[in-house]
Amino acid sequence: MVGGKLMSPSRLQSVLEAGKFAVTAEAGPPRGPDAEVVRRKARLLKGSVDACNVTDNQTSVVRMASMAACRILSEEGVEPVMQMVCRDRNRIAAQSDILGAAALGIPNLLCLTGDHQSFGDHPQAKNVFDLDSIQLVKIAREMRDAARFAGGKALEGNLELFIGASANPFADPAKIQVPRLAKKVAAGAEFIQTQCVFNIEKFKEWMKGVRERGLDTATHILAGITPARSAAMLEYMATRVAGMDVPEAVIARVKGVPKARQAEEGIRIAVETVRQLREIPGVRGVHIMAIEWEESVPEIVKQAGVR
Amino acid sequence: MIVGDWKPIETILDYLGERERILIAGCNGCVTVCNAGGQKEVDMLARILDLAGKKRGRPFHITKITVERQCDPEFLPELLALAAEHDAVLSMACGAGVQLVAEHAPGREVFPAIDTNFIGAVERKGEWGERCQACGDCKLFVTGGICPVTRCSKSLMNGPCGGSRDGKCEVDPEIPCAWNLIVDRLEALGRLDQYDIIQPPADWSKSRDGGPRKLIRKDLQ
Ligand code: SF4
Ligand code: SF4
């Protein structure tokens, strides 16, 4: 506490506001209660990133709660970004979890709609979707800035939280993707992490629209990166993962090297992409989503020269 | 209209069990229009049960009736009188009809013969699509006449999720993405700027989430 006012606890926010190029990563919690799995991931990432997202039952597969894994990351000295999806919680649970996260010292929140449950291991589940991600951002901002819950009643005390959302420049309809970001920014998203970029031309085009609307200065955009471990993984992402854009040429490039060296090639592509993204005006950092391959993150960060 | 579809015959036979005197009750409303529970389907079900009864060695005694609307007590007296002479009523109406018959036939078993699926429209001959979830707070003005509650798999109010691809929903390539339709339509209407307005969280208390709903029209009472 300085002069009775809380300092923003988010290091990610300080880095971005200082105009430094930010690096975030992503860690998927385990499908069991073993905290050590999370600790191991934290140790791999520590020192290489400004913060690390923890996914929230991503692809609708049951995993350890994001909030719990975030706390474990904190204990290991890695700043967490708690992902929260609208699929599994109504506005009561969402706000309650936000308070709980803040109480545990989790300084960053990423508001997401969430994959449909039909993708996961409980397709028979009832979904919630009481809110959408834009409404969730707005509610979180009002809780923080106006000390007011969505229902209108006052919240006790101070909520310190850095609030963000995602963007998918490759989703359809393409013409709505810049306006959609504008809506997220208007709702109060202070940082944006994008879907992973393989199609750099399409990303550049989106960023152009983003700059034309002045959104690059109204929020902090972190471009998504996913290192490919193999050509098979790229092909899977290209065809089976909703909202992905993996150009043929990228797949062909990884396919072109022997299997044993494809991971290396994947890292090389990731490094090149980070460098290219860094040159795009308005890109304020990268968000590396190395799916179950956290070991690759320090390597990419080092080779790309962003640390 | 309310769209329904037959239950598997095995399920219906399971419900009927050892019962013999069965009243099959059709409805001239929605279920006639969607070919699930009108006069024609009553005749069809009667023939099928007749065969099944003979096959099991203990024939059913079947009576058929189709009323104007099973969801209105005004049209029920004749049906209820017949029901009293049967072991069970097999109603081919929607869930509302089945329930109203049961409510007015105390002590009489009333079984559903169809699954009530949704409020929908005819898309092609023999194809219906869901259009409305009766949320009680119609938002069609905002979304250019396309329902985000029903037709978006996630009931999103502020635009497409990141999974929309080639105009299709991430859930199934056979489902059109509602937000793709909404954006195209708003654009065609010259109202795409409407999209920029942030829609507040929906008031689900007007929907089923507020508990079973009731509508009272004093002017009609
Ligand atoms: S907005 Fe509500 S009332 Fe209107 S069509 Fe959709 S579900 Fe039905
Ligand atoms: S793809 Fe379209 S219809 Fe499907 S959930 Fe996303 S926005 Fe809704």
Side-chain angles (χ1 to χ4, degrees):
Chain A
M1 291 265 257
V2 183
K5 198 179 173 340
L6 278 165
M7 296 288 287
S8 165
S10 168
R11 172 195 153 100
L12 176 62
Q13 182 174 14
S14 328
V15 166
L16 286 166
E17 282 173 359
K20 291 187 207 137
F21 196 76
V23 180
T24 55
E26 176 184 287
R31 302 208 64 196
D34 188 359
E36 188 49 34
V37 178
V38 184
R39 293 192 196 284
R40 203 162 49 233
K41 291 189 179 194
R43 288 193 288 268
L44 283 171
L45 296 167
K46 194 174 174 182
S48 295
V49 299
D50 296 304
C52 177
N53 289 34
V54 178
T55 53
D56 179 11
N57 298 301
Q58 200 173 17
T59 63
S60 311
V61 168
V62 177
R63 289 175 182 277
M64 181 192 290
S66 178
M67 195 193 298
C70 278
R71 171 67 196 203
I72 299 167
L73 285 188
S74 287
E75 287 168 4
E76 291 295 319
V78 173
E79 178 171 303
V81 178
M82 184 170 90
Q83 296 196 178
M84 183 186 277
V85 301
C86 298
R87 177 192 59 231
D88 308 323
R89 40 175 84 71
N90 66 10
R91 65 194 78 178
I92 300 171
Q95 294 178 102
S96 160
D97 281 357
I98 288 172
L99 295 180
L104 290 177
I106 297 164
N108 309 296
L109 174 74
L110 186 79
C111 303
L112 302 164
T113 299
D115 298 309
H116 195 270
Q117 76 277 8
S118 59
F119 287 99
D121 55 357
H122 293 75
Q124 309 83 353
K126 191 173 198 298
N127 60 39
V128 182
F129 297 118
D130 176 27
L131 305 168
D132 60 32
S133 58
I134 289 176
Q135 292 160 348
L136 181 58
V137 167
K138 202 156 188 248
I139 287 173
R141 281 294 301 261
E142 278 166 11
M143 286 173 74
R144 188 191 73 188
D145 301 341
R148 193 174 57 228
F149 289 115
K153 289 275 194 300
L155 174 159
E156 295 159 20
N158 265 327
L159 177 66
E160 294 286 334
L161 207 55
F162 188 43
I163 298 159
S166 66
N168 184 359
F170 312 104
D172 283 331
K175 60 182 169 239
I176 213 70
Q177 296 311 324
V178 173
R180 180 143 169 82
L181 179 68
K183 249 174 135 165
K184 290 193 172 180
V185 173
E190 298 166 295
F191 68 97
I192 297 289
Q193 291 170 317
T194 79
Q195 174 67 284
C196 45
V197 181
F198 289 106
N199 187 341
I200 195 116
E201 288 316 311
K202 198 160 176 191
F203 183 78
K204 279 183 180 163
E205 215 173 286
W206 178 75
M207 277 305 298
K208 189 161 161 269
V210 167
R211 287 192 305 272
E212 279 165 7
R213 268 185 96 149
L215 300 173
D216 59 319
T217 52
T219 191
H220 303 282
I221 296 172
L222 283 77
I225 292 279
T226 290
R229 230 172 169 170
S230 63
M233 171 187 169
L234 277 178
E235 274 171 334
Y236 178 83
M237 289 202 293
T239 54
R240 305 286 298 279
V241 181
M244 280 278 191
D245 183 344
V246 189
E248 271 302 317
V250 177
I251 302 175
R253 178 171 160 186
V254 179
K255 256 191 181 161
V257 302
K259 273 217 173 75
R261 294 208 343 258
Q262 287 185 346
E264 217 175 287
E265 191 67 13
I267 290 189
R268 202 168 296 134
I269 293 174
V271 169
E272 286 167 24
T273 313
V274 173
R275 290 200 183 118
Q276 284 173 297
L277 290 168
R278 207 179 174 174
E279 296 306 313
I280 302 172
V283 173
R284 311 288 299 277
V286 283
H287 175 50
I288 308 172
M289 295 163 274
I291 303 152
E292 295 305 317
W293 192 23
E294 287 80 9
E295 299 90 320
S296 67
V297 175
E299 193 60 32
I300 295 166
V301 166
K302 202 169 108 222
Q303 285 190 36
V306 287
R307 264 298 164 284
Chain B
M1 78 187 89
I2 290 172
V3 179
D5 197 15
W6 278 32
K7 279 183 176 291
I9 292 299
E10 304 75 55
T11 307
I12 294 175
L13 288 171
D14 254 8
Y15 293 165
L16 297 180
E18 295 303 302
R19 297 168 188 82
E20 282 178 11
R21 288 169 307 146
I22 309 297
L23 176 64
I24 304 181
C27 175
N28 275 333
C30 304
V31 290
T32 292
V33 188
C34 68
N35 298 72
Q39 176 76 62
K40 218 170 69 212
E41 290 75 29
V42 168
D43 290 342
M44 210 186 298
L45 185 58
R47 279 198 301 275
I48 292 169
L49 288 186
D50 194 42
L51 282 176
K54 282 177 183 143
K55 216 169 126 196
R56 73 173 182 178
R58 251 188 341 136
F60 288 111
H61 300 284
I62 294 167
T63 309
K64 302 180 284 184
I65 183 172
T66 301
V67 302
E68 205 45 35
R69 284 196 297 279
Q70 282 187 36
C71 60
D72 187 341
E74 191 185 319
F75 301 105
L76 292 187
E78 199 188 340
L79 190 163
L80 295 171
L82 278 172
E85 299 160 12
H86 290 78
D87 298 329
V89 179
L90 195 48
S91 165
M92 300 193 79
C94 73
V98 179
Q99 291 185 60
L100 198 73
V101 170
E103 244 173 87
H104 284 82
R108 193 64 46 208
E109 288 187 297
V110 182
F111 305 130
I114 70 168
D115 290 312
T116 304
N117 297 320
F118 49 77
I119 303 177
V122 178
E123 290 180 349
R124 265 180 292 277
K125 199 166 162 28
E127 262 181 67
W128 293 266
E130 188 171 13
R131 289 291 183 276
C132 175
Q133 295 210 339
C135 76
D137 184 16
C138 194
K139 296 152 179 77
L140 289 176
F141 169 78
V142 177
T143 50
I146 293 152
C147 175
V149 179
T150 310
R151 301 192 65 191
C152 167
S153 302
K154 301 175 187 170
S155 295
L156 303 179
M157 299 293 172
N158 280 294
C161 73
S164 175
R165 204 66 192 275
D166 300 324
K168 302 296 185 223
C169 174
E170 69 172 30
V171 169
D172 182 340
E174 294 297 312
I175 304 174
C177 166
W179 274 100
N180 196 82
L181 299 174
I182 293 168
V183 165
D184 280 352
R185 188 155 160 87
L186 286 177
E187 193 177 36
L189 295 169
R191 274 178 59 197
L192 198 52
D193 52 344
Q194 166 88 45
Y195 177 79
D196 286 346
I197 302 167
I198 295 178
Q199 297 305 321
D203 179 358
W204 297 116
S205 72
K206 294 175 178 169
S207 185
R208 232 297 298 175
D209 304 84
R213 291 166 285 178
K214 204 172 169 126
L215 178 69
I216 299 170
R217 286 270 308 269
K218 288 273 184 238
D219 57 328
L220 299 175
Q221 288 179 331

